[in-house]
């Protein structure tokens, strides 16, 4: 789904009033019924991460952490059956999973008389049953399962979705009987930074030559696309030639402005893809035509 920059900004402005809980998606779907849930969730996640980066420093001061910890202990004692940590996170506009990390870290410092290792902290966030304090374990669990932007559950879901769309891309290429090398194969060949797919025979999409394809299971907004261009796409272009980026959850339509320079954007697998046979010789990353 392609959105104009104005349409994107309208959704982004509306997300400012939301918190990163599962219930926010119901509100987004009601407000923007013509957009898919996946697109809306991706946009909200992008915007909330920007918001968090602007405000996270104020939550990480020693005074703020001590205030949150003391408040949690007091309210958990008086209301042991309530999701006090989740409520507190929403009240101060901090990701529930990040609030759980702060309070669990502070609790472990009290219990172990020292700063816990990152591995111990991460393992308890992933598996709260490892936390000896059962009320704290329950609160941490409530925060991680209700957070749709941060935390171990979100990380696992994002990884699975990314893998799912890479498999979808490979299946589409196989349906078209197209010869390609995937990222795993390229790494075994010694490439350290590659797109998801290198086509052994180039294709044409809407009149543009494509040598490689990158799969992004997210929405392409200005910030993320600019970052990808600088850190990934232009280096792929320099090494392998022009390519195609698929933002499966859509992108801002004005960003598709680099076609003449060799970066084409789509929001689905191209229906009109045409294989180009160049005098019967396949294009491979090791051929002389691989670099520009």
């Amino acid at each position: 789904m392609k959105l104009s920059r104005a349409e994107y900004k309208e959704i982004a402005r509306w997300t400012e009033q939301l918190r990163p809980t599962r219930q926010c998606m119901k509100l987004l779907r009601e407000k923007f019924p013509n957009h898919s849930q996946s697109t809306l969730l991706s946009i909200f996640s992008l915007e909330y991460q920007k918001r968090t980066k602007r405000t996270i420093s104020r939550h990480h001061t020693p005074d703020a952490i001590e205030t949150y910890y003391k408040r949690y202990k007091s309210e958990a004692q008086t209301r042991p059956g309530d999701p006090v940590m989740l409520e507190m996170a929403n009240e101060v506009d901090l990701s529930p999973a990040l609030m759980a990390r702060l309070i669990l870290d502070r609790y472990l410092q009290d219990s172990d008389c020292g700063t816990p290792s990152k591995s111990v902290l991460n393992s308890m966030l992933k598996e709260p049953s490892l936390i000896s304090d059962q009320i704290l374990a329950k609160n941490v669990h409530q925060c991680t399962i209700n957070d749709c932007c941060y935390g171990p559950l979100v990380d696992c879901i994002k990884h699975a979705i990314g893998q799912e769309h890479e498999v979808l891309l490979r299946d589409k290429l196989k349906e078209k009987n197209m010869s390609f090398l995937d990222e795993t194969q390229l790494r075994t060949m010694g490439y350290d930074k590659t797109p998801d797919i290198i086509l052994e025979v180039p294709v044409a999409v809407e009149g543009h030559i494509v040598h490689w394809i990158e799969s992004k299971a997210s929405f392409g907004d200005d910030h993320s696309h600019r970052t990808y261009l600088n850190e990934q796409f232009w280096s792929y272009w320099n090494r392998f030639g022009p390519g195609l980026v698929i933002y499966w959850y859509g992108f801002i339509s004005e960003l598709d402005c680099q076609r003449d320079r060799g970066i084409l954007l789509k929001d689905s697998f191209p229906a009109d893809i045409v294989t180009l046979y160049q005098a019967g010789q396949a294009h491979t990353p090791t051929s002389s035509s691989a670099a520009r």
Side-chain angles (χ1 to χ4, degrees), residues 201 276-282:
V201 178
L276 301 178
Y277 291 94
Q278 299 176 328
Q281 182 176 0

Side-chain angles (χ1 to χ4, degrees), residues 20-33:
T21 59
R22 305 291 168 187
Q23 292 76 18
C24 78
M25 290 314 303
K26 179 176 182 294
L27 298 174
L28 276 172
R29 289 198 305 271
E30 291 173 352
K31 181 65 177 178
F32 302 99

Side-chain angles (χ1 to χ4, degrees), residues 87-98:
E87 293 171 359
M88 188 165 62
N90 291 332
E91 181 185 322
V92 301
D93 193 15
L94 177 62
S95 150
L98 296 183

Side-chain angles (χ1 to χ4, degrees), residues 161-176 178 180-183 195-199 212-216 244-246 248 268-270 273:
I161 291 174
Q163 295 279 19
E164 177 186 353
H165 284 83
E166 289 177 18
V167 171
L168 173 62
L169 174 57
R170 291 195 293 269
D171 288 345
K172 292 287 187 182
L173 293 169
K174 290 174 183 176
E175 287 175 12
K176 296 284 186 179
M178 297 171 64
F180 64 89
L181 299 171
D182 62 25
E183 192 174 13
D196 294 314
I197 296 293
I198 293 289
L199 299 170
W212 54 267
I213 304 176
E214 178 75 2
S215 171
K216 294 296 183 188
L244 165 67
V245 178
I246 303 177
W248 295 99
S268 62
F269 188 82
I273 195 165

Side-chain angles (χ1 to χ4, degrees), residues 178-194:
M178 297 171 64
S179 181
F180 64 89
L181 299 171
D182 62 25
E183 192 174 13
T184 301
Q185 293 170 308
L186 290 164
R187 290 194 185 281
T188 62
M189 295 167 61
Y191 290 89
D192 58 345
K193 193 172 185 181
T194 70

Side-chain angles (χ1 to χ4, degrees), residues 55-67:
T55 62
I56 192 65
S57 59
R58 74 167 186 248
H59 299 292
H60 274 266
T61 65
D63 287 345
I65 293 172
E66 199 63 26
T67 297

Side-chain angles (χ1 to χ4, degrees), residues 97 101 122 124-127 144 150-157:
R101 176 178 284 273
N122 287 338
M124 289 184 173
L125 290 168
K126 290 178 182 178
E127 185 48 71
T144 56
Y150 287 95
L153 178 60
V154 171
D155 291 341
C156 288
I157 291 172

